[in-house]
Amino acid sequence: MSVLPRSPIQVLPPNAAERIAAGEVVERPASVVKELIENSLDAGARRVTIEIEGAGRRMIRVIDDGEGIPAAELPLAFERFATSKIRLASDLARIRTYGFRGEALPSIAAVSRVEVVTRPRGEEAGARIVVTGSTTSAVVPASAADGTRVTVEDLFFNTPARKGFLKSDAREAAVIIETVEAIALAAPDITFRLVESGREVLWAPAESFPARARRILGSPLAAHTLDLETAEEGTEIQGVLGTPQIAEPRRTHEWFLVNGRPVRSPLLARALTQAYHTLIPDDRHPVAILSVRVAPEDVDVNIHPRKTEVRFVREAAVFGAVVRAVRGVLRQTPLVHIVRGTGIASEDAGTSSSAPAMGTPFAPEVPPWAAEPRDSDREAAPPLPSALWSAEEPEEAWPEIRLIGQLALTYLVGESGGDLILIDQHAAHERVLFERLMDRGDAGGVRAQGLVTPVVLEISRAEEALLSEAESGLRALGFEVEPFGRGVVRLSAVPVIAAQRAPSELFRACLRDLGAETSPHAGRDLEERLAIATACHTAVRAGDRLDAQMMARLLEDLARARDPFSCFHGRPTIVRVRGRDLERWFYRRT
């Protein structure tokens, strides 16, 4: 890179400084929409109408019924750092408004043609001002309703290079819609209307937060959501949570609000993921809208130029509160997966325990967990002893299920209230064993089964390194292993729940899973990965024949689990087919 000759330091001319400031505030048409709506809300508006044309490039108009701007203050509204929202530097620590920097209108006007028509409440006449680039017209009287109407035209007309960075009209319009939806979530008591080229895209009357959240999610998803509202140690949490069955491959329907401000928050995203941990597959994300409120001084909204990110003072407390609140709601709700015939309308689609009709975008017609088991999984095997399961008192109610039998040596078949029940025996047993292992680890208890004849195994250098790292975790689960020469170990005990499996195969499988960098569980902590590996390789498999007593015991143990509706992979353990859907299949019901 060539070195440019040194130039003296100078203060930029106003028009250049204004365009640089505009670049910090006005990134795309949606940025203008966001700033103008926030000004409307700060002005006390109860109704906000947004009109756009050409995806906002040609025109953006925001109309509100707020308090308006006095005619004498209109020119000042277009001066940089002019604001009515803060007075002292200390006010920045207690922000209670959406905007405060005093840069929105001057920055927008620097790259577009802006007209403001406004009338303060109680005034007999309104006022009008037009600003184009660095040119400002005189304030003149105008006919206007109470409130303010801001019209922005020809965005980036004087900065054509900026237009090249915009996406297609469809994408820019979509971002505007997402922006309006986010703000509508933050202000559910305000009526919003969005019109694109004369077509109404969004209408949201004033309503409660849960109702607004479900409106934004849309009826197909909203039918499968749960309410959340709690408070602890200065953290108030309200939300609408999607059931695990509608988890999505992308974070499309994850929304976070902090003190009424829509934000991106890696901390809250991690907390949400942790709360759904083992309830959904690792490659899926929850559907959820969370609103978190803390004291204004406990959150910094100034870490991002557009205030789209925040930092919490008490990060650990907020993280823990969100995880506990979300997990608590999920554990109080029967999350049985309901399967329905394609295109058949459901009478109870609005219940929290129901699931979407098959064939919808978020419930594939043939989900990956419904695939036929491999031939290798179907190898004939003798019945397993019922000692693999032990009875404990249930903590929560469980639907009464009458067992009918076993299907394809893979699924338990039952009936409950006239509905067909299918239980994946491997997934169900995985959940039971996993929780038992984790509980014993948390309690510091070791349940080991000593081997009558210890097993001597040769291990590779890589396995030796893994063993050194995982030794304490293995011991906590019940494995007793010690060096027995170079490249050789002696296994003298295994977890009691795994006593019926080949100890050498189980031990090697655990080491193999620990060493698999591409494992879906690679990001989990060591103890959990060991519990997963042990449970996975110990649980009954597809192809294992179970007698009536073993099936009944498995069902009882599953009912006693904290999270009985999915295995630790996030796959469902139990599926329910409504009896009325069965009747439709046989043309007994129209």
Side-chain angles (χ1 to χ4, degrees), residues 29 80 84 108 114 124 187 212 244 265 310 313 364 371 380 450 471 510 546 550 564 583 587:
R80 291 194 66 199
S84 62
I108 294 169
V114 179
E124 293 184 359
R212 177 63 57 85
S265 174
V310 296
V313 174
E471 184 177 1
C510 288
L546 308 182
M550 294 161 59
E583 291 178 342
Y587 301 103

Side-chain angles (χ1 to χ4, degrees), residues 239-390:
V240 170
L241 309 174
T243 60
Q245 190 165 355
I246 60 172
E248 299 180 323
R250 291 176 295 277
R251 297 184 185 272
T252 308
H253 291 98
E254 278 189 13
W255 304 77
F256 301 111
L257 308 167
V258 175
N259 288 358
R261 184 188 301 277
V263 298
R264 292 192 302 267
S265 174
L267 176 79
L268 295 180
R270 289 197 304 272
L272 191 61
T273 298
Q274 180 64 30
Y276 277 81
H277 184 49
T278 78
L279 301 182
I280 61 176
D282 287 347
D283 60 351
R284 295 272 166 165
H285 302 285
V287 169
I289 296 177
L290 283 183
S291 174
V292 177
R293 290 192 175 275
V294 297
E297 57 270 21
D298 285 345
V299 61
D300 183 1
V301 300
N302 282 319
I303 65 172
H304 192 277
R306 289 182 294 277
K307 304 183 289 295
T308 57
E309 296 181 13
V310 296
R311 179 185 293 119
F312 294 98
V313 174
R314 302 179 303 115
E315 289 191 342
V318 173
F319 181 91
V322 171
V323 172
R324 287 188 292 273
V326 174
R327 194 73 171 193
V329 169
L330 294 174
R331 281 183 171 162
Q332 293 169 10
T333 308
L335 301 175
V336 178
H337 284 231
I338 312 297
V339 179
R340 294 192 178 89
T342 304
I344 297 176
S346 172
E347 296 175 5
D348 61 348
T351 62
S352 62
S353 63
S354 63
M358 301 296 284
T360 58
F362 46 84
E365 189 162 328
V366 183
W369 53 78
E372 285 289 320
R374 299 184 304 271
D375 290 341
S376 59
D377 291 334
R378 292 185 177 278
E379 294 176 0
L384 299 176
S386 57
L388 279 174
W389 302 292
S390 62

Side-chain angles (χ1 to χ4, degrees), residues 76-368:
L76 194 60
F78 286 89
E79 295 291 332
R80 291 194 66 199
F81 303 114
T83 179
S84 62
K85 301 166 187 175
I86 60 173
R87 289 290 179 266
L88 303 172
S90 58
D91 293 340
L92 294 173
R94 298 180 298 274
I95 297 299
R96 287 179 168 83
T97 56
Y98 287 97
F100 58 84
R101 296 178 304 172
E103 292 184 12
L105 281 177
S107 295
I108 294 169
V111 291
S112 65
R113 298 180 174 88
V114 179
E115 178 195 65
V116 177
V117 178
T118 182
R119 188 176 87 173
R121 294 170 183 165
E123 295 289 333
E124 293 184 359
R128 174 178 178 268
I129 190 173
V130 177
V131 181
T132 302
S134 58
T135 304
T136 304
S137 74
V139 177
V140 298
S143 175
D146 286 352
T148 302
R149 182 183 74 223
V150 181
T151 304
V152 178
E153 296 179 306
D154 298 332
L155 187 62
F156 301 136
F157 79 98
N158 55 355
T159 54
R162 297 282 296 280
K163 291 184 178 180
F165 290 95
L166 297 181
K167 306 299 182 183
S168 67
D169 279 4
R171 179 55 190 154
E172 293 298 334
V175 176
I176 290 175
I177 294 171
E178 292 168 3
T179 300
V180 176
E181 289 176 336
I183 299 177
L185 284 171
D189 56 334
I190 308 300
T191 296
F192 288 89
R193 182 172 182 254
L194 173 60
V195 178
E196 179 187 9
S197 300
R199 179 177 63 93
E200 185 175 88
V201 177
L202 173 68
W203 163 253
E207 54 197 340
S208 67
F209 175 76
R212 177 63 57 85
R214 289 184 169 89
R215 181 183 300 276
I216 297 303
L217 287 176
S219 55
L221 292 175
H224 316 290
T225 52
L226 314 168
D227 287 335
L228 162 64
E229 187 166 5
T230 186
E232 65 168 82
E233 299 180 2
T235 302
E236 298 178 7
I237 305 169
Q238 189 176 14
V240 170
L241 309 174
T243 60
Q245 190 165 355
I246 60 172
E248 299 180 323
R250 291 176 295 277
R251 297 184 185 272
T252 308
H253 291 98
E254 278 189 13
W255 304 77
F256 301 111
L257 308 167
V258 175
N259 288 358
R261 184 188 301 277
V263 298
R264 292 192 302 267
S265 174
L267 176 79
L268 295 180
R270 289 197 304 272
L272 191 61
T273 298
Q274 180 64 30
Y276 277 81
H277 184 49
T278 78
L279 301 182
I280 61 176
D282 287 347
D283 60 351
R284 295 272 166 165
H285 302 285
V287 169
I289 296 177
L290 283 183
S291 174
V292 177
R293 290 192 175 275
V294 297
E297 57 270 21
D298 285 345
V299 61
D300 183 1
V301 300
N302 282 319
I303 65 172
H304 192 277
R306 289 182 294 277
K307 304 183 289 295
T308 57
E309 296 181 13
V310 296
R311 179 185 293 119
F312 294 98
V313 174
R314 302 179 303 115
E315 289 191 342
V318 173
F319 181 91
V322 171
V323 172
R324 287 188 292 273
V326 174
R327 194 73 171 193
V329 169
L330 294 174
R331 281 183 171 162
Q332 293 169 10
T333 308
L335 301 175
V336 178
H337 284 231
I338 312 297
V339 179
R340 294 192 178 89
T342 304
I344 297 176
S346 172
E347 296 175 5
D348 61 348
T351 62
S352 62
S353 63
S354 63
M358 301 296 284
T360 58
F362 46 84
E365 189 162 328
V366 183

